[in-house]
Each structure stands twice: as C-alpha cells, then as structure tokens.
C-alpha cells in the first residue's frame, strides 16, 4: 500500500510541477478602480446593461433605448434581461458574464437591490464602473452612481395635484380624502407616500382636508404587491364603512393601476368619481384622464432616464466625473451614492398634449 | 479484443460503462470547446471558470440529492421553497438573534433535517406519493418564506458569505498561483494515480484479467492532464481568488455521495428500491427507511444549497429558490437517470448539470438573451432524454443496453470471476 502511495505521489507531483512551470503569472487584480476616473477608456468599449425580467413595458422600452443609444454613441452594447422564473440568479450570472467580457461600465436595473453585492464587487475589482439605474443597489460600497427620477418629488406632485384638482371642483373645503400607498416591500412606496404627505399634512392639520376613515398610517394604506384587486377591495370597504352619506372628494393613489382600480370601485358603488392621482402614464390611464375620470398622472419619461444614463457613460469614457445633483440623500447602507435625479412631470388633461408630444404611443391619445 | 474496444471499455469507467454518461461527457467537452471558440477564449478563462462554479454549485448540490430521490423512484418539487425557507430563517437568525455564522449554518442544516423528516414521514410511512407531498411542501415553505420574511431582503454578515462567494486564502511563497488551489490539484492528481494503481493491484490479487498497462497510463495521463489544466486555471485567477469555497463543498459532497451510492449497501438499496421496490422489500431492504432517508437527505442538501445562494447573494430575498427544482431535475435527467427510477449516477448528474451551466454561461457571454437561453435549455433537455427513449423503442434496450451487450459478447473468454463482477443488474449501470 505504501509503495503505491509513494509512486502516485511521485507521478502526481512531477505532473503538477511540469505543468506549473509552463504556466503564466496572475493578473494583479484591479488596476485601481477608485482612481479610474481620471483615465477614461476607449470609445468603442463594451457597456453592459442588466435589466429585470420583461414584466413591464417600461423595461422593454429602456432596453431598446439602451441598445440604440449606446450604439449611436459608439459603444458596444450588451443589454440583458433576467429570465422570468429565476430572476435574481439570472441577473447575477449576466452581470458576472459582462465583467468577464470586460465591460467598462455596467448599468444595473436591479431585480433585487440587496442581492447583487458580490457581483458588483467583482465588477469593481475588474475595473468596471457600476451605475444603478432606477433602483439603488443596497449594502455595498461598490456602486459608483445612481440615476433615477426624484420619487419624493413624485409624491409632492401627487399631493399638490390632488389639492388643486379638488379646489377646481369645489372652491371651498373641507375636503374628504382617502390615502393609498404602494407595496410595503417596495422601498419607493414609502418615499412616494412621504412626499405626498409633506404637502397634504399641513392641510390636514388645518382641518381643510379630512381623511374621513381616519386611516393615515402607511401600514393601513399599503396595497400588497401593488395589486389592483387589493386597492379595489380596500376602496369598496372604505365606501361602505365611511361614505354612506358623505361625499368623497379626493383619493391619493400612488400609481395608475391602483388609481383605475379605485375609480372602478367608486363607479361600482354608484358614487361620483373623486379627484384621483396616479403615476407612470399608463396607456389606459392617459385615456381615462382624457375622458375626464382620473385626474392626474406622473410622466417619468424612460427616454430621459436612459439618455441621462448614457450621458454618464460618455463622461466616464472621456475620463470625466459624471454630472450629479445629489450627493447627500441616497445612502445604500454602506455609503452615500452620488446621484443624478431627474424631475418628474405632473400631467393632467390640461397639459397632456404638451407632455406627451414626444411619445409616439401616448401622443395620439391626447388629440 | 481490439485496442479500440479496450479503450472504450477501460478508459473512463473502470469495469462497467454507461454510454449515456460518456455521451454527456463528450457533449460537455464539445460544448466547452464550441463556446471557447465562439467567445474568443472567454469560456475557459480563470475568472469565468470560477464564476461558473460559484453560480452553479448550489444547483449541482441539489442535483446530488435529486439524483438519489429520482433513483429511488420519487421526485422532489419542494427543494426551491425549502432552500428559500431555510435561507430566510438563517438570515433572520443572524440579524435578529445575533447567532454567530457557524452556528447559523448548523441551525440551517437542522431546519433542513426537520423539514426532510416531515416530508419523509408522509412519503415513507403514510404512503402519500412524493410528488404530492413535495408539491404541498413547495406551497407550504414558499408561504413560510414570505410569512417570515415579509417579502423583505435580509442581508447576511461577511463571515457567512464565505460559503457562497469565498476563496481560499493566499499563503506560502509567491509562486504566481494560489498555493492552496495547487495543493488541492496535487491531491486530486495523487488520488487519481493512487486509485488506478490500487485498482490494478486489486485485479492482480483477484487473478482477474489485468487491464493493459498502456490503457492505465493513458487513463491516468488524461485524468491528470485535465486535473492539472483545471487546477492551473483556477489557481491563476486574479490575486485573492482561487478555487471557490462553494466549489470545494460541492466536490467534497460529490466524492462522499458517489462513494456512498456506489460502494455501500445503503447506497445500493436506493437503486434496488427504485428498480423494483417489491423485490427489494422481499430481499430484506427496509423500504420505508430508505424512502424516509432519501427524502430527508434531499431537504438537508436543499437547506445547504439555499444557504450557499444566500451567502453568494449577500442577502436572503423573496425570489430565492424560484425554479431551482426544475434546474436540478433537468440536470439529473440530462445526466442519464431514468424517469422510472433505478438508473442514474451522481457523476452523471453533475455532468448533466455542468452541460446546462456551460450552455447558460456560454450563451450569456455571447450576449444571447435570457428568453432564448431558456428556449435552448428546454430543447437540450428534451433531446437528451428523447435520444435515450428513442433508442429503447428501436428495440435496442437503450444506448446503455446496446453498448453493454457488445461488451458481453466479448467477455465469455474472460475468467468467470471477472465476468461475475462485471455482470451487474441491467438497471444499475455505474461508472467506476
């Protein structure tokens, strides 16, 4: 037995040594990812874009815009969507593949914002820059920039539009309103709600606006999973419990899907449609606004967001620091990420034609 | 006996052979070479190989357990949910109760064992089909994951992440390589050579027909060559990287379970139960116990896989585990297991899993979208299994059967002692 062991050790060792000798040295890792700013990179470099699964029109549009926009700017674009079933694992693998292919900048619309730290760390070690697109990547120091719409501003615009709309219908208060907020597992839900409350709270305190059901806590107003049927059910219950003989003047809704569900519920109860806010400029809601049902929505033009992101990539390519306008607000748990916030636009029937003039899908609806 | 047949018979599988599995090994090599060319050499670059193992170790670990479940004639649909449920509990235990991470890992394995015992109880002792029990488990533990996690993503501490994204430390003299990876590779080479010499010695002692020396040397050279190549690839990655820790866990499990299923009575009982459970029971196999432990073992491995994924993702999230059962089951079937049970090997399943992994990785490197990748993977699964079924229908009792028959025609000249060792039951071909 020992003889065999001896022989095998010898053969193994010789083989190893023989082949070790002709191997090459190793790459010493990142060539200083932190100091990469000053240098830039070749203009035809590969830019990776990792987006979530194709579950909403917005992401598909963003992917097309990135593919075309990056090509126009002279880059090679690698735009990937996560698969429908194994989203997080897919996105992790796609980002790793982009790093392997030598992408200089990786733009990530995260599927799960907290499950990418290993991959972005690998990207940084390979010298790539990481831009978080629309969703901030959490708990990692390896995010360089964040680009998104100003979601607090979205909430403020919704709150303000609600007040304006109610005033236009009925010059004097007090107004009865109800509050809805988004899914509790979505980080943005809270931001929208707080933005809206920053406008509504002073009016509520003055007594000019009354939340008749008394449900003002975000836990009470939240709709799990942003589901339309959830909003419809809650509105049904509110109408039964509170508005038997009261008039409902306005409803704060965080997005268009919920807004339409709320309107459906009110119609079903045979009540006049109140002023309802929204967000996302969904086709059905734009139609609803033009028909005078939903009062407002928010236009967060994906074109502008993608354009801004590509501007950042161009700046990095030239070796400049990309333009940011917020270096304080967005702490991802490991660091404060330099952010470029785009302003959202409030759209009502009055300014719809102007707001969607450049949108080939929505513009015809406003005519 | 021609030299070619000698080679066929002896190079890869010792005394018995499994043509489907060889087929998959060649397919794997072909796919690797294909993508190596198509991606301009990215596929076999160190960082990509490391990523490949890190990305797929948890699926391959699931495939080990799934192989045993499928060989025993069952199926487990709950692995993804069990992994997610364990993941969220382990992440919570560290975040809320401040469990140290090694304790949390044991805690996770214990959860897996409890869940496994629960499912095993229903399957083995009540007699509910495993498909139903694990379908229920899939809902139960997915719901449990959401109930406990509230759809939140919970980060895990740095130490815990080692099992998913960690590497071996850099120690010893500067050789231009990761020294510990080199040592692992050396150990692998020694093991290969020792096993070959040992096998020769055993055959000599049993007065069996010795394998020609040139075949032994060729076999050793191929295996050592592959090992050395792979070792150097893993060892020459960026400084700070090595053969990944999750890969080491996987290799250790593959070795241990391969030995168990091939060389121990307990392991053979699983094949017996899957081949013909009545006959196995009448031969004294404790049917219930085998079924119970196979199901329990699967859940423990699912718990481990869940923890490795959470460690790699640095957080436990609500999407964890979605669709994993399908990846694991696909790996097992591509690797040559039979839907009816009783046939299949651990190494085959790993090769099947690697075929899927390399396909996935290569297509991603080429920039093919996830939609088309899924379509291609679906077709590969279908074709791999269809090929074997088609061959059976042609009256050739599957590729496996036809190959072993040509060997048998050769063997009557061999001494009875050796042919007795070779003539394993038709339903249990195992690579040596």
């Amino acid at each position: 037995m020992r003889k065999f062991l001896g022989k095998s050790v010898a053969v193994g060792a010789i083989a190893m040594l023989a082949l070790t000798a002709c191997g090459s040295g190793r790459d010493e890792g990142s060539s200083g990812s932190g100091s990469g700013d000053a240098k830039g990179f070749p203009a035809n470099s590969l830019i990776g874009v990792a987006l979530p699964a194709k579950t909403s029109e917005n992401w598909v549009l963003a992917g097309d815009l990135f593919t075309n926009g990056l090509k126009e700017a002279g880059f090679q674009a690698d735009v990937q969507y996560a698969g429908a079933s194994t989203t997080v694992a897919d996105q992790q693998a796609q980002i790793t593949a982009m790093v392997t292919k030598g992408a200089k900048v990786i733009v990530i619309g995260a599927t799960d914002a907290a499950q990418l730290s290993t991959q972005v760390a690998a990207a940084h070690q390979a010298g790539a820059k990481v831009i978080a697109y629309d969703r901030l990547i959490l708990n990692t120091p390896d995010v360089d920039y964040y680009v998104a719409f100003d979601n607090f501003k979205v909430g403020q615009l919704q709150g303000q539009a609600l007040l304006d709309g109610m005033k236009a219908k009925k010059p004097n208060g007090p107004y009865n309103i109800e509050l809805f907020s988004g899914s509790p597992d979505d980080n943005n839900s809270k931001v929208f709600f707080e933005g809206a409350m920053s406008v509504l709270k002073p009016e509520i305190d003055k007594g000019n606006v009354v939340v008749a059901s008394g449900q003002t806590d975000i836990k009470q107003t939240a709709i799990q999973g942003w589901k339309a049927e959830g909003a419809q059910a809650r509105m049904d219950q509110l109408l039964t419990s509170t508005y038997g003989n009261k008039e409902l003047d306005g409803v704060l809704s965080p997005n268009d899907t919920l807004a339409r569900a709320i309107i459906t519920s009110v119609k079903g109860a045979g009540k006049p449609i109140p002023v309802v806010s929204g967000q996302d400029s969904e086709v059905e809601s734009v139609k609803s606004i033009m028909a005078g049902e939903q009062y407002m929505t928010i236009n967060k033009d994906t074109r502008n967001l993608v354009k801004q992101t590509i501007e950042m990539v161009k700046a990095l390519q030239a070796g400049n620091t990309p333009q940011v306008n917020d270096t304080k607000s967005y702490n991802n748990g490991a660091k404060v990420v330099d952010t470029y916030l785009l302003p959202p636009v409030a759209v009502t029937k009055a300014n719809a034609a102007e707001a969607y003039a450049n949108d080939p899908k929505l513009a015809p609806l406003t005519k | 006996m021609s030299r070619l047949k000698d080679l066929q018979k002896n190079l890869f599988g010792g005394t018995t052979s499994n043509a489907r599995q060889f087929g998959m090994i060649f397919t794997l090599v072909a796919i690797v070479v294909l993508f190596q060319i198509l991606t301009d050499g990215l596929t076999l670059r160190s960082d990509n190989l490391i990523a490949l193992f890190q990305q797929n170790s948890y699926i391959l670990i699931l495939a080990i357990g799934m192989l045993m479940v499928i060989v025993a004639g069952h199926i487990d649909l709950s692995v993804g949910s069990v992994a997610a449920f364990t993941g969220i509990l382990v992440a919570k235990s560290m975040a809320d109760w401040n469990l140290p991470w090694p304790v949390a890992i044991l805690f996770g394995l214990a959860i897996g064992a409890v869940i496994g015992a629960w499912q095993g109880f229903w399957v083995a002792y009540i007699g509910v089909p495993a498909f139903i029990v694990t379908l229920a488990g899939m809902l139960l533990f997915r719901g449990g994951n959401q109930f406990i996690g509230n759809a939140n993503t919970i980060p895990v501490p740095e130490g815990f992440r080692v099992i998913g994204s960690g590497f071996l430390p850099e120690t010893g003299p500067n050789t231009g390589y990761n020294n510990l990876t080199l040592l692992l590779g050396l150990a692998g080479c020694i093991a290969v050579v020792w096993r070959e010499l040992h096998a020769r010695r055993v055959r000599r002692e049993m007065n069996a027909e010795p394998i020609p020396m040139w075949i032994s040397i060729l076999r050793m050279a191929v295996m050592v060559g592959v090992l050395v190549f792979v070792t150097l690839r893993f060892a020459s990655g960026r400084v700070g990287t090595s053969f990944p820790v999750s890969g080491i866990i996987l290799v250790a499990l593959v070795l241990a379970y391969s030995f168990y299923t091939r060389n121990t009575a307990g392991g053979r009982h699983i094949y017996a139960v899957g081949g013909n459970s009545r006959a196995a029971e009448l031969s004294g196999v404790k049917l219930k116990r085998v079924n119970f432990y196979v199901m329990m073992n699967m859940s423990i491995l699912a718990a481990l896989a869940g923890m490795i994924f959470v460690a790699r993702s640095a957080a436990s999230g609500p999407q964890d585990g979605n669709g994993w059962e399908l990846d694991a089951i696909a790996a097992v079937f591509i690797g040559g297991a039979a839907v009816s049970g009783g046939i299949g090997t651990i190494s085959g399943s790993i090769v099947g899993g690697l075929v899927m992994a390399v396909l996935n990785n290569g297509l991603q490197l080429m920039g093919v979208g996830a939609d088309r990748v899924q379509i291609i993977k679906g077709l590969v699964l279908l074709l791999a299994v269809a090929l074997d079924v088609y061959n059976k229908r042609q009256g050739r009792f599957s590729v496996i059967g036809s190959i072993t028959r040509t060997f048998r025609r050769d063997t009557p000249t061999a001494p009875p002692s050796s042919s007795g060792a070779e003539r394993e039951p038709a339903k249990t071909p195992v690579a040596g």
Side-chain angles (χ1 to χ4, degrees):
Chain A
M1 184 70 84
R2 193 175 299 145
K3 201 176 75 188
F4 283 101
L5 198 63
K7 258 193 219 169
S8 49
V9 169
V11 176
I14 289 165
M16 261 337 258
L17 282 174
L19 279 129
T20 311
C22 59
S24 59
R26 343 168 52 179
D27 176 14
E28 282 291 328
S30 82
S31 48
S33 54
S35 60
D37 280 1
K39 281 181 263 160
F41 50 80
N44 61 350
S45 298
L46 180 74
I47 308 297
V49 181
L51 300 174
K54 290 180 178 174
T55 47
S56 107
E57 296 171 10
N58 257 334
W59 291 115
V60 179
L61 175 63
D64 295 345
L65 291 169
F66 269 119
T67 308
N68 298 332
L70 286 170
K71 276 201 187 120
E72 261 168 44
F75 298 107
Q76 299 174 54
D78 179 14
V79 179
Q80 295 286 335
Y81 296 94
S85 58
T86 52
T87 47
V88 175
D90 268 353
Q91 190 165 57
Q92 291 174 343
Q94 285 165 347
I95 294 169
T96 312
M98 288 168 188
V99 174
T100 305
K101 284 155 82 176
K104 293 295 176 198
V105 180
I106 300 180
V107 178
I108 302 172
T111 292
D112 187 318
Q115 290 189 303
L116 293 174
S117 54
T118 308
Q119 287 70 33
V120 294
H124 249 200
Q125 276 155 4
K129 292 279 173 189
V130 175
I131 300 178
Y133 172 87
D134 195 49
R135 299 173 181 174
L136 183 56
I137 300 171
L138 301 175
N139 304 325
T140 169
D142 296 308
V143 187
D144 297 288
Y145 301 100
Y146 175 45
V147 55
F149 278 100
D150 187 343
N151 286 331
F152 191 79
K153 187 78 192 284
V154 167
Q156 286 179 315
L157 289 174
Q158 287 172 335
Q160 192 55 50
L162 195 59
L163 293 179
D164 295 347
M166 290 190 298
K167 197 153 204 169
K169 271 191 178 175
K170 192 170 83 175
N172 293 308
Y175 305 105
N176 289 325
I177 67 164
E178 288 302 331
L179 309 174
F180 282 72
S181 59
S183 189
D185 60 3
D186 186 336
N187 211 11
N188 286 335
S189 303
K190 206 173 125 210
V191 182
F192 298 140
F193 192 69
E194 283 170 358
M197 289 309 276
S198 74
V199 176
L200 296 174
K201 194 82 183 11
E203 295 296 317
I204 293 172
D205 290 345
K206 268 192 269 173
N208 193 24
V209 168
V210 182
V211 181
S213 68
Q215 298 181 7
T216 55
D217 189 278
I218 190 164
K219 279 193 186 123
Q220 296 170 304
T221 60
I223 302 298
Q224 181 74 38
W226 295 94
K227 287 223 171 101
E229 63 259 38
Q232 194 171 344
R234 178 164 181 257
M235 194 67 232
D236 286 346
Q237 278 143 22
L238 289 171
L239 288 171
T240 319
S241 65
T242 312
Y243 293 96
N245 47 13
K246 265 190 225 161
E247 198 176 325
L248 177 62
D249 297 304
V251 179
L252 174 74
S253 161
N255 80 355
D256 284 348
T257 311
L258 301 194
R260 294 196 305 275
I262 290 163
I263 292 170
T264 307
S265 166
V266 175
K267 276 186 186 166
K271 305 248 176 201
I273 296 170
V275 174
V276 183
S277 63
Q279 171 179 206
D280 291 342
S281 299
E282 289 180 10
V283 171
E284 287 307 313
S285 279
V286 173
K287 285 183 191 162
S288 173
I289 288 172
M290 297 319 288
E293 293 187 341
Q294 186 176 329
Y295 179 71
M296 67 86 72
T297 186
I298 299 279
N299 188 17
K300 298 201 288 191
D301 195 339
T302 306
R303 287 166 195 79
N304 292 341
L305 193 58
V306 171
K307 210 160 101 193
Q308 186 58 41
T309 313
I310 293 176
E311 287 304 319
M312 283 181 149
V313 174
K314 281 186 192 160
L316 288 168
Q317 185 271 320
N320 301 327
T321 306
Q323 189 192 358
V324 291
N325 56 16
D326 187 334
T327 54
K328 292 193 290 286
S329 317
Y330 287 87
N331 188 329
N332 74 348
K335 76 171 204 183
V336 177
V337 183
D338 287 351
T339 303
Y340 190 94
L341 289 177
L342 279 83
V345 178
V347 182
T348 59
K349 193 173 179 177
N351 69 344
E354 181 195 346
Y356 300 129
N358 293 326
D359 191 318
K361 201 172 58 191
L362 296 178
L365 300 174
T366 61
K367 303 236 157 75
Chain B
M1 216 188 270
S2 75
R3 292 206 145 191
L4 189 66
K5 283 226 174 91
D6 266 357
L7 193 67
Q8 260 187 320
K9 182 179 163 193
N10 288 310
L11 190 49
F12 299 98
T15 52
T16 40
S17 44
N18 183 334
R20 172 85 167 280
Q21 196 177 318
F22 294 165
M24 285 327 290
I25 290 178
F26 288 128
T27 310
L28 178 61
V29 172
I31 290 179
V32 168
V33 171
L34 177 72
F35 282 121
Q36 176 73 0
I37 295 164
L38 288 177
T39 59
D40 279 338
L42 288 179
T43 300
L44 284 177
R45 228 172 61 184
S46 318
D47 53 351
N48 192 53
L49 281 180
I50 291 169
L52 191 69
F53 265 73
Q54 284 193 327
Q55 275 160 22
N56 293 288
S57 53
Y58 65 94
I59 293 292
L60 296 176
I61 287 173
L62 287 178
I64 296 173
M66 193 62 81
L67 179 269
M68 293 163 71
V69 169
I70 286 173
V71 162
H74 303 298
I75 195 90
D76 192 333
L77 301 175
S78 68
V79 291
S81 296
V82 171
F85 183 69
T86 311
I88 194 78
L89 277 178
V90 168
K92 276 259 185 194
S93 74
M94 288 185 287
D96 293 355
W97 311 336
N98 295 317
L99 276 191
W101 66 266
V103 181
I105 290 176
L106 293 178
F107 174 63
L109 293 175
I111 296 166
V114 171
I115 294 173
W118 159 263
Q119 303 206 119
F121 166 76
W122 290 102
V123 173
Y125 294 101
I126 306 294
V128 182
F131 187 94
I132 306 295
V133 171
T134 57
L135 184 60
M138 185 179 180
L139 299 170
L140 227 150
F141 300 111
R142 174 61 56 189
N145 166 278
Q146 286 166 356
F147 180 73
I148 290 164
N150 269 330
N152 288 325
T153 303
I154 297 171
V156 292
E158 204 69 51
F160 184 78
R161 297 180 195 173
V162 169
I163 63 167
S165 56
F167 294 105
L168 295 169
E170 303 278 352
T171 53
N174 184 359
T175 54
Y177 292 98
N178 180 283
N179 293 326
L180 291 176
T181 307
L182 290 185
L183 283 179
L184 275 181
L186 184 61
C189 290
I190 291 169
V192 164
V193 175
W194 182 80
R195 205 179 77 158
E196 187 63 38
L197 296 178
H198 181 70
R200 288 187 68 84
R201 199 179 60 133
V202 168
R203 288 194 77 117
R204 206 162 44 238
E205 277 172 3
M206 293 170 75
N207 289 322
E209 179 195 15
I211 304 168
M213 193 62 193
W214 69 271
I215 283 190
S216 279
I217 288 175
L218 183 60
R219 180 154 65 191
M220 278 192 286
V222 169
M223 301 271 286
V224 169
V226 169
L227 266 174
V228 168
F229 175 77
V230 171
T231 306
L232 292 185
R233 284 283 146 170
F234 279 111
S236 64
R238 194 166 39 74
V239 173
T241 62
S242 70
F243 192 64
V245 172
S246 52
I248 294 172
I249 296 174
L250 171 68
V251 170
L253 289 174
V254 168
L255 292 177
Y257 278 97
S258 291
F259 179 81
Y260 178 75
T261 53
R262 212 172 44 209
N263 298 349
T264 68
R268 301 315 303 176
H269 284 172
I270 300 173
Y271 286 87
V273 167
N276 184 335
S277 63
R278 287 291 299 146
E281 196 173 20
L282 291 172
S283 321
V285 173
K286 293 198 174 63
L287 195 59
K288 288 178 179 167
R289 193 187 290 179
V290 169
N291 285 337
F292 179 80
Y293 280 118
V294 162
M295 297 308 290
M296 179 159 164
N297 175 63
M298 177 75 259
S299 291
I300 296 173
L301 288 179
L304 178 62
M307 287 190 285
I308 287 179
F309 182 81
V310 166
R312 176 170 154 72
S313 302
S316 166
Q319 300 277 347
D320 292 6
N322 273 345
W324 292 5
E325 56 281 339
L326 302 178
D327 279 341
I329 292 169
V332 170
F333 285 132
I334 290 180
V339 182
S340 52
I343 297 181
T345 59
I346 302 271
S347 47
S349 304
I350 296 299
V351 171
L354 283 176
V355 166
M356 286 296 230
V358 172
L359 204 61
N360 216 358
N361 172 264
L363 290 170
Q364 268 167 358
L365 285 178
M366 290 171 61
V368 178
D371 37 13
R372 276 180 289 165
V373 172
Q374 286 183 51
I375 294 171
I376 293 169
K377 279 163 73 179
L379 288 176
V380 168
L381 170 64
L382 187 62
L383 290 179
V385 179
L387 191 69
D388 203 48
V389 172
Y390 174 77
N391 280 321
K392 268 185 205 169
R393 282 255 299 279
Q394 297 297 300
R396 274 183 270 158
F397 186 60
S398 89
V399 186
I400 300 154
S402 70
I403 294 283
T404 43
R405 201 176 318 137
T406 58
F407 282 156
R408 291 217 182 100
R409 230 173 274 141
D410 280 340
T411 42
T413 51
S417 63
S418 87
S419 67
E422 282 182 30
R423 207 170 279 154
E424 285 190 45
K427 277 197 105 181
T428 59
V430 169

